[in-house]
Amino acid sequence: MLEQAMAGSWDYESATVRASPEVRARLALDEPEDDHDDVMHTRYVFRAGGQVWMLSDSYEPLQLTRGTIVAMPEDGPLAGHGVTHRMAEIGVIVDDWVEDVSARAALPGEAKRLGISPGSIVLTIQRTYLADGRPVEIADIVVPAETSQLGYSGPVGERTSE
């Protein structure tokens, strides 16, 4: 956004919920023993230059964050910090991430929220942040294909620690 001289902003809503079977599987959560909520679900609407640009639904296991200063992703002393910084604050070191990217037609609710025509093509990204192989946050991201370009980079070869 800086390259395009656009200001970025976001709105969010966070609430504890009981994980769906899909979320439970992606977060590698055990089957629940009671009827309590077990994940923090945060719905984001990201804007660029005042226009809606991206939607994201994030899920974090409450077994990691419940009762900590990072339980609410966008509230408290670490509000606005990414998951890697927030998790480090509670001793959970995020050391890997995986993204699976696909394209499909926008669902009616997504099209409305994104301000695009129903049936427009969107890119979908399923992101997982991991700490020592354990998922600590997953996100489902949706962006209009016609206005977005994805680019990735990372180290080549073996990782070394010094």
Side-chain angles (χ1 to χ4, degrees):
M1 282 190 261
L2 289 175
E3 291 175 8
Q4 298 174 12
M6 290 185 170
S9 64
W10 66 90
D11 297 322
Y12 66 92
E13 293 178 10
S14 293
T16 61
V17 299
R18 187 176 182 96
S20 69
E22 178 190 357
V23 168
R24 183 170 308 290
R26 288 175 56 201
L27 284 172
L29 297 176
D30 293 332
E31 286 301 315
E33 295 180 16
D34 54 32
D35 61 353
H36 291 96
D37 294 344
D38 51 4
V39 294
M40 178 64 67
H41 175 208
T42 304
R43 296 186 72 165
Y44 292 96
V45 176
F46 292 91
R47 291 179 173 74
Q51 300 297 313
V52 174
W53 167 66
M54 179 174 77
L55 307 175
S56 178
D57 282 277
S58 166
Y59 300 87
E60 297 176 354
L62 288 172
Q63 64 191 34
L64 287 178
T65 62
R66 188 183 316 244
T68 71
I69 65 170
V70 302
M72 298 293 290
E74 298 294 333
D75 294 320
L78 297 174
H81 290 271
V83 67
T84 58
H85 186 95
R86 291 178 39 258
M87 291 292 171
E89 186 69 25
I90 60 170
V92 176
I93 305 304
V94 175
D95 56 10
D96 205 359
W97 58 275
V98 176
E99 289 188 348
D100 294 313
V101 181
S102 298
R104 61 167 170 75
L107 302 175
E110 293 168 342
K112 183 176 181 178
R113 290 171 65 203
L114 288 165
I116 59 177
S117 299
S120 295
I121 301 302
V122 293
L123 299 173
T124 63
I125 305 159
Q126 284 191 334
R127 178 182 296 156
T128 304
Y129 282 105
L130 301 125
D132 199 26
R134 177 183 181 188
V136 298
E137 191 237 18
I138 61 169
D140 295 314
I141 302 164
V142 179
V143 296
E146 63 193 37
T147 60
S148 301
Q149 177 180 349
L150 300 178
Y152 294 90
S153 65
V156 175
E158 292 185 36
R159 295 181 182 172
T160 59
S161 60
E162 297 183 38

